Amino acid sequence: MIVAAALPLVAEYGAAVTTSQIARAAGIGEATIFRAFQDKDEVLDACVAEAVGTDHVLRELATIPLDEPLTVRLTEAAEALRAHMERLGTVIGALHASGHRRGRGPGPGARDGDGKGKGHGDGDGDGDGPPRDSRAESFATLRNAVVELIEPDRAALRLSPEKVAAAFLGLLFTRLQTPAPDADAPLTPAELIDMLLHGTLHHPENA
């Protein structure tokens, strides 16, 4: 409850968010936060862990009906993954811009900047993102979930669902992370999936 209430505030204010703001959003007393967390830095780290975690998006992927056409399944998956990546980027970006590093507070004053909270020390210096092995594990988990969505069409594919899922995620994440010039808008999810499944060449009969 506390982390869920804090996430939108962290996305908006970064490390400048106060525990009193979080308490009001959660509908609890401020003291309740410090019964659950040592200090504000620990709340922020919990927000990073929640944003980085894949549980929410995996639940969304699991609700996609397998009897829908493959293009529909992948479009819904692309939208769920886009929302996940945008939330992750917003939270991490806001914290990074305001000076917070994972395992390290933005400076003295973990409780609303008043110097009353305890710091976390230097941490591992890796910033707010997850460790490399965690990223690989998250990618593998997401790929497996996408494989399940593709599996019903295995017989219709020239490549295995595992390879198609990896290509799908690679194209999607590249699209989300690579800024495009104003005159060259990024592929829409529908265009990305059409390219994945049918390529970019005209079919011979239409050429």
Side-chain angles (χ1 to χ4, degrees):
M1 179 178 67
I2 293 173
V3 172
L7 270 171
L9 295 171
V10 172
E12 182 175 357
Y13 298 106
V17 66
T18 66
T19 50
S20 60
Q21 287 176 306
I22 295 171
R24 283 196 298 272
I28 59 177
E30 190 174 4
T32 303
I33 293 177
F34 296 106
R35 286 197 286 271
F37 298 93
Q38 180 181 1
D39 52 32
K40 191 179 80 172
D41 285 346
E42 197 167 275
V43 178
L44 297 180
D45 287 344
C47 287
V48 171
E50 176 65 20
V52 168
T54 57
D55 289 350
H56 180 74
V57 71
L58 288 174
R59 285 194 296 270
E60 291 196 22
L61 293 175
T63 66
I64 297 174
L66 295 180
D67 57 356
E68 293 281 4
L70 180 58
T71 53
V72 174
R73 277 175 267 148
L74 290 180
T75 298
E76 292 185 19
E79 291 296 345
L81 288 161
R82 177 194 58 77
H84 169 69
M85 292 294 290
E86 287 185 354
R87 183 177 73 158
L88 170 60
T90 299
V91 170
I92 298 297
L95 288 173
H96 182 80
S98 55
H100 180 78
R101 298 292 182 272
R102 194 175 191 184
R104 295 184 296 175
R111 294 194 188 183
D112 296 354
D114 60 4
K116 295 178 183 177
K118 295 179 182 179
H120 278 254
D122 291 335
D124 59 12
D126 287 337
D128 287 304
R132 290 185 182 277
D133 57 344
S134 177
R135 292 190 191 115
E137 183 179 344
S138 294
F139 184 87
T141 301
L142 292 174
R143 183 195 61 202
N144 290 341
V146 175
V147 167
E148 292 183 15
L149 293 176
I150 299 172
E151 184 64 38
D153 287 86
R154 177 183 286 271
L157 298 170
R158 291 190 296 112
L159 298 175
S160 69
E162 290 77 14
K163 288 186 177 181
V164 175
F168 168 74
L169 291 174
L171 285 170
L172 181 64
F173 291 161
T174 299
R175 170 189 176 274
L176 293 173
Q177 295 173 2
T178 304
D182 293 338
D184 194 16
L187 293 173
T188 65
E191 289 172 333
L192 183 148
I193 292 161
D194 184 68
M195 183 179 72
L196 173 70
L197 296 179
H198 306 294
T200 60
L201 294 174
H202 289 296
H203 293 294
E205 61 272 19
N206 298 326

